[in-house]
Amino acid sequence: MLAEQSKSKKIFDNGFQIAKNADLASKVHGKENVVNATLGIFYNDDEEMHTLDIVNNEYKNLSVKELFNYSSSINGEELFIEAVKQYIFGKNYSPVLDDNFTEVIATPGGSGAIYNTFKNYINPGEIVLLPNYMWSSYKLMSKEVGGGYQTYSLFNKKGKFDLVNFKNSVMELGKIQKNLVIVLNNPCHNPTGYTLSSYEIKNLMAIIREACKICNIILINDIAYMDFNIKKNNFTEFYKDLPENLLLMITFSMSKSFCCYGLRVGAQIAISSSKETINNFLDASLYTCRSVWSNIPKGGMTLFSNIVLNKKKYKQLLFEQNCMKNILKERADIFLSEASAVGLLTLPYKSGFFITIPFKNGLEKEIENKLKFDNIFAIIIPGGIRIAICSVPKYKIYNLAQRIKKALS
Ligand SMILES: Cc1ncc(COP(=O)(O)O)c(C=O)c1O
């Protein structure tokens, strides 16, 4: 009965199954004997899902109308839009965005922001360019909107962003497509924890500018993990000298930064040097919003703007986020130093929720089983084990690298 285009739809993502196996193992062997490094949710060192006091308090103070009413517009609440700009570009954002036109649309999480972009910028049959290690939903979304995907390789042999491969991949597709949608997930890339240096961003943007001579480029930067960058975020290189046929799309999510994964609040921030491009973005994106999810939770948007636009509350938010960052750093330092001591190779990690251990493609099932045998549960991606250090308490990180090394050998 399914429509033709829906007959091949089936999710082969086994992440949730591995997470279920971890829960089952905890019941059988005791929680303290099981490492559950599966999901991208921050757990504290008592292995409870972490939440932020400032967010909890603000949520409890929302009025019934703020919680349950429709949003005042499809774009999102006015104060939310202002708060998103301040949150990403700083309080005095005007000079940053002065040379360009910018519009913000509220979406259900970062997922909604990415989907909305794919939907309106991938022509039927076109290929979107994704990193070879990636959040797997990008693949699903590209197919959902009638496109396909190809990957660029993230790292060169020196463990730096592979600008050469990136350029070749962009140029190859640019020659045959009208639009080329490219996904970056920076900073704190999922699943490797890599963050591009300013040098790498500068060079990447030079490649994009060159490619704009042969096709339209829609560059998505997925910043879902922006608040876990150990260094200060500096996005300005992305907005300089934008050719008219380049649309920069920042996709923002409240899920990880505010520990409110189920609230479903995010945004698309479209930036272009062409007013027409931004006007067209608004028309098409609002149409998609209205026809797919209509509008997003008013309460979530109000919660965000109440915190971000209030100096004292914002300060507390930064303090609490900083505590999370410190915990992540501690866990990562332990894991990486032990990995290096036992000769366990990891992909280049800078900061964030995940560390990835590469292995030869084809061994996925075998490695999953070996880890399971030692009560270690992690997402097995093609050619890699993704360790969600965000969800593993410090005491379970000790010795984990040795145990994984053993499972791999
Ligand atoms: C890389 C990346 N981007 C975007 C998202 C979207 O998150 P949400 O839709 O909850 O905002 C996630 C969630 O896991 C992610 O890992």
Side-chain angles (χ1 to χ4, degrees):
M1 199 176 286
L2 284 170
E4 286 308 315
Q5 74 275 15
S6 297
K7 284 188 176 157
S8 62
K9 281 189 189 173
K10 194 161 172 62
I11 297 179
F12 290 104
D13 183 349
N14 66 349
F16 282 94
Q17 187 54 49
I18 300 178
K20 263 190 193 165
N21 291 346
D23 286 341
L24 192 69
S26 294
K27 283 189 189 121
V28 176
H29 304 285
K31 198 172 170 182
E32 66 287 1
N33 298 314
V34 172
V35 175
N36 184 353
T38 52
L39 296 181
I41 297 174
F42 193 95
Y43 278 64
N44 59 29
D45 277 338
D46 295 327
E47 239 171 312
E48 296 291 339
M49 184 190 129
H50 186 71
T51 56
L52 303 180
D53 289 345
I54 182 69
V55 173
N56 297 343
N57 292 338
E58 201 55 45
Y59 186 83
K60 283 176 200 147
N61 287 335
L62 290 175
S63 71
V64 171
K65 279 188 189 158
E66 282 166 331
L67 269 177
F68 299 130
N69 206 348
Y70 281 127
S71 167
S72 52
S73 80
I74 306 171
N75 310 36
E77 298 291 302
E78 237 175 73
L79 283 178
F80 172 74
I81 290 170
E82 173 61 21
V84 166
K85 288 187 194 164
Q86 290 196 18
Y87 194 71
I88 298 172
F89 307 117
K91 201 167 167 51
N92 303 310
Y93 57 79
S94 299
V96 181
L97 298 173
D98 255 3
D99 295 338
N100 297 302
F101 299 91
T102 306
E103 284 291 348
V104 177
I105 291 183
T107 57
S111 302
I114 297 158
Y115 171 81
N116 219 357
T117 312
F118 280 14
K119 178 75 188 165
N120 290 307
Y121 291 95
I122 299 177
N123 288 302
E126 274 184 348
I127 302 289
V128 53
L129 197 51
L130 303 173
N132 60 336
Y133 292 101
M134 71 177 102
W135 182 48
S136 59
S137 292
Y138 300 141
K139 294 185 202 170
L140 302 183
M141 290 184 203
S142 68
K143 297 228 162 131
E144 181 68 4
V145 303
Y149 68 89
Q150 217 167 280
T151 60
Y152 59 90
S153 103
L154 259 181
F155 303 114
N156 60 22
K157 285 193 177 128
K158 291 182 181 157
K160 302 284 177 207
F161 186 79
D162 193 341
L163 287 162
V164 175
N165 182 277
F166 183 77
K167 183 172 181 176
N168 292 341
S169 310
V170 170
M171 290 304 182
E172 197 182 292
L173 282 173
K175 275 182 205 149
I176 52 174
Q177 294 193 174
K178 191 171 172 209
N179 279 3
L180 177 55
V181 176
I182 304 170
V183 176
L184 281 183
N185 173 203
N186 189 69
C188 311
H189 171 259
N190 174 7
T192 66
Y194 192 72
T195 296
L196 276 83
S197 66
S198 306
Y199 170 85
E200 286 167 335
I201 297 175
K202 247 187 217 164
N203 281 280
L204 179 143
M205 288 310 289
I207 294 168
I208 298 283
R209 271 184 222 105
E210 199 182 327
C212 279
K213 292 177 188 153
I214 55 172
C215 69
N216 300 322
I217 302 255
I218 299 89
L219 178 64
I220 297 178
N221 189 15
D222 176 353
I223 58 167
Y225 297 89
M226 65 173 271
D227 293 300
F228 304 98
N229 187 358
I230 211 75
K231 293 197 174 151
K232 199 172 173 325
N233 283 318
N234 178 8
F235 297 132
T236 47
E237 280 306 327
F238 283 110
Y239 329 127
K240 280 186 192 159
D241 308 324
L242 304 185
E244 290 225 326
N245 62 339
L246 168 57
L247 175 63
L248 179 62
M249 189 70 69
I250 297 175
T251 57
F252 166 74
S253 165
M254 249 181 106
S255 299
K256 320 284 172 175
S257 302
F258 284 66
C259 296
C260 49
Y261 317 90
L263 206 56
R264 310 313 302 143
V265 177
Q268 282 175 291
I269 300 96
I271 304 176
S272 171
S273 59
S274 152
K275 190 165 186 350
E276 192 190 351
T277 299
I278 292 299
N279 288 344
N280 294 342
F281 156 77
L282 267 186
D283 287 342
S285 305
L286 292 178
Y287 189 104
T288 307
C289 294
R290 187 72 175 118
S291 60
V292 183
W293 54 74
S294 186
N295 55 82
I296 74 156
K298 186 184 179 80
M301 287 188 275
T302 308
L303 166 69
F304 182 79
S305 53
N306 281 357
I307 295 175
V308 173
L309 300 179
N310 177 298
K311 209 171 166 185
K312 201 168 152 207
K313 292 176 186 171
Y314 180 58
K315 207 170 154 194
Q316 194 189 328
L317 173 77
L318 294 185
F319 173 77
E320 291 194 53
Q321 287 176 336
N322 212 35
C323 294
M324 288 169 73
K325 254 198 287 199
N326 289 339
I327 294 173
L328 279 174
K329 183 167 177 351
E330 226 184 346
R331 294 176 186 173
D333 285 349
I334 296 167
F335 186 84
L336 293 173
S337 68
E338 290 192 353
S340 147
V342 296
L344 177 72
L345 191 67
T346 59
L347 292 176
Y349 173 90
K350 305 276 181 198
S351 50
F353 273 32
F354 312 103
I355 294 175
T356 290
I357 296 139
F359 59 75
K360 271 201 192 118
N361 268 321
L363 296 175
E364 284 76 8
K365 202 69 214 165
E366 195 182 324
I367 286 171
E368 185 185 324
N369 287 336
K370 279 189 172 174
L371 291 175
K372 189 175 164 194
F373 186 73
D374 193 17
N375 279 330
I376 299 170
F377 296 86
I379 303 292
I380 308 295
I381 54 174
I385 307 168
R386 188 192 80 169
I387 303 291
I389 54 163
C390 57
S391 63
V392 182
K394 184 170 138 185
Y395 81 94
K396 289 187 183 176
I397 297 271
Y398 286 112
N399 213 28
L400 185 57
Q402 286 90 321
R403 291 165 67 192
I404 294 174
K405 173 81 182 171
K406 199 170 151 212
L408 284 177
S409 50

